Amino acid sequence: MTLDSVDTLSLNREVLLSPETSAENKTIALLELEKRGLEFLCPIAKAIYLIETDRIDQVDALDALGSLWAIDDSEARGTGEYGDSFADVTEIVNHSIDISIGESQIKLEFASSSTMVLCDDFWPTYCRSACALEWCQDIPLTPHGIVPRVFNALTSNAIQSQRSPNGYPTDSGAFIGTCTYSLIAINGLAVSGPTFSDSYHEQGWEGFNDAFPQRWDEEGDNGDDQSMFCWAHYLTQKQAKTLGFAKTGKAAYGKKRHYPGWLPKILKENEDALWVHSDDIKSSYNSGVITIKPSTNAWVAIGGGSSWDPSEQDSVEDSLKYADWEKFPVKAPPLLITEICIGAEYPPAELVALLPYMQKLFSLI
């Protein structure tokens, strides 16, 4: 029997789907006479066959485990709201602006988001991946325990590789971006602050405190200095007292039109520090921290070539689009793909069948 006469892809899948019977595979035994190094088997199939034929000392555990990957491409593909040809990503960012007025220190805290629509159906930057080397660090491996481990690894990798925020208002370039920025707290106290929205062509505010005049005119020409909010408008007297800001009597601003009566005169004398420009909010966003949502759905790629690495963008896209690969094993995408879900009662059979081998492989490292 010659290698050219054998469908090696099907042969490998047979080993992966029924690993416990691989030692009885006569085709592999005959091909091994021609290819002593078992080059016709992908790394994990080769490791399984060597284990089942009592040659565990010949196993390359790193290579085998390195060819098993979990991939969460849900963010990279988007919600589909803008059609199948456009990936959309919404990043959630927490950020703040610090203000000093005399001895007073004010921290304005924002919860903001950017929705970015890419001119492509896949955004590799937002594709999460975790190698089996990261799932198997604690043994034993059990059917009920493996799925949470996979998702923990995916989420952990996303946190460790956390980027700076990418979003900004734009209607050209790689994506179309729309942003919203909301004041949610002052010095740790929750407030119902305003929200500024910017879609590049249109800007606007919502949630202003109607009790006070604002520096924004929806109908008119606001100009560079007229897109602002006053943070003191969103603190009640009780909150201001808790923060040590509130004053009474002659030390207070008093009941006047533009500011709350509790406002200390020293703050009024530094009036510019009471107002925050929308440009300052956007700059703060760029230095913020992205909120990473835990992975809940993913797929496991089983049986790729040793040089296939989903951390490389091109390989991820190729593996997604071409699961049946004609070239083998050079840069071969996975031979099997199976989906997993964080809420599933039991993992897929393809993954369960491999657990004993994954455990043995990790014990060799």
Side-chain angles (χ1 to χ4, degrees):
M1 179 177 291
T2 63
L3 187 59
D4 293 339
S5 63
V6 176
D7 182 351
T8 54
L9 294 177
S10 297
L11 181 64
N12 275 265
R13 289 191 183 100
E14 186 178 339
V15 173
L16 298 175
L17 291 171
S18 301
E20 71 283 353
T21 63
S22 59
E24 303 166 10
N25 193 302
K26 296 179 180 180
T27 302
I28 296 178
L30 290 172
L31 290 177
E32 188 178 7
L33 298 175
E34 179 185 349
K35 298 287 185 179
R36 294 289 184 179
L38 298 170
E39 296 90 346
F40 53 91
L41 295 179
C42 69
I44 185 64
K46 178 179 177 180
I48 290 169
Y49 182 70
L50 289 173
I51 290 171
E52 287 295 329
T53 54
D54 297 323
R55 290 179 283 176
I56 196 169
D57 58 311
Q58 299 179 29
V59 169
D60 187 335
L62 287 174
D63 199 25
L65 289 173
S67 68
L68 295 172
W69 289 83
I71 295 178
D72 177 0
D73 65 339
S74 53
E75 279 194 326
R77 292 199 173 281
T79 62
E81 180 180 350
Y82 299 88
D84 295 337
S85 299
F86 302 94
D88 60 286
V89 171
T90 297
E91 63 178 14
I92 309 298
V93 175
N94 295 315
H95 56 112
S96 62
I97 295 176
D98 294 318
I99 300 172
S100 297
I101 305 177
E103 295 182 356
S104 299
Q105 303 295 319
I106 299 98
K107 179 182 286 293
L108 307 179
E109 301 170 51
F110 297 84
S112 303
S113 65
S114 290
T115 297
M116 299 167 284
V117 183
L118 184 71
C119 299
D120 200 348
D121 62 354
F122 187 78
W123 204 332
T125 301
Y126 292 92
C127 189
R128 302 180 184 181
S129 61
C131 177
L133 289 163
E134 299 168 283
W135 324 335
C136 306
Q137 292 181 0
D138 298 314
I139 51 178
L141 297 176
T142 64
H144 291 289
I146 188 62
V147 171
R149 288 192 192 184
V150 171
F151 283 113
N152 286 341
L154 285 167
T155 303
S156 177
N157 284 355
I159 293 173
Q160 291 176 19
S161 62
Q162 191 174 65
R163 311 165 302 278
S164 298
N166 288 330
Y168 59 91
T170 180
D171 72 343
S172 61
F175 62 85
I176 297 173
T178 300
C179 304
T180 60
Y181 316 86
S182 299
L183 176 70
I184 60 168
I186 299 176
N187 281 17
L189 289 182
V191 298
S192 297
T195 295
F196 179 71
S197 301
D198 190 344
S199 64
Y200 185 74
H201 289 292
E202 295 183 3
Q203 296 81 35
W205 289 89
E206 293 182 357
F208 274 143
N209 188 335
D210 295 334
F212 305 100
Q214 303 299 329
R215 298 185 181 182
W216 172 257
D217 179 4
E218 290 187 40
E219 304 300 329
D221 182 6
N222 291 282
D224 291 339
D225 297 327
Q226 296 298 314
S227 180
M228 313 175 78
F229 80 94
C230 173
W231 57 266
H233 291 174
Y234 303 95
L235 285 174
T236 65
Q237 184 165 1
K238 182 178 180 181
Q239 288 176 315
K241 185 176 181 181
T242 299
L243 296 176
F245 294 157
K247 297 295 182 182
T248 58
K250 294 182 179 180
Y253 176 66
K255 294 183 178 180
K256 298 182 181 178
R257 180 168 178 261
H258 291 87
Y259 302 102
W262 57 259
L263 189 75
K265 286 184 177 179
I266 188 172
L267 294 184
K268 174 61 178 67
E269 292 167 0
N270 294 271
E271 187 171 10
D272 287 347
L274 294 174
W275 293 87
V276 179
H277 199 284
S278 57
D279 286 348
D280 295 327
I281 301 174
K282 288 188 280 187
S283 295
S284 168
Y285 178 96
N286 296 332
S287 302
V289 176
I290 297 177
T291 298
I292 301 295
K293 294 182 179 179
S295 288
T296 57
N297 291 279
W299 53 274
V300 178
I302 303 170
S306 58
S307 60
W308 181 74
D309 181 353
S311 66
E312 297 178 8
Q313 295 179 6
D314 290 343
S315 295
V316 174
E317 292 182 280
D318 287 345
S319 66
L320 290 168
K321 296 177 180 178
Y322 307 112
D324 292 319
W325 196 250
E326 294 180 358
K327 299 177 182 178
F328 187 85
V330 180
K331 292 187 177 180
L335 296 166
L336 297 178
I337 292 176
T338 185
E339 295 184 6
I340 56 173
C341 176
I342 192 65
E345 293 184 6
Y346 208 71
E350 297 94 331
L351 185 57
V352 173
L354 295 178
L355 291 182
Y357 304 93
M358 293 167 62
Q359 183 162 313
K360 288 181 181 178
L361 290 169
F362 195 80
S363 69
L364 296 175
I365 299 174

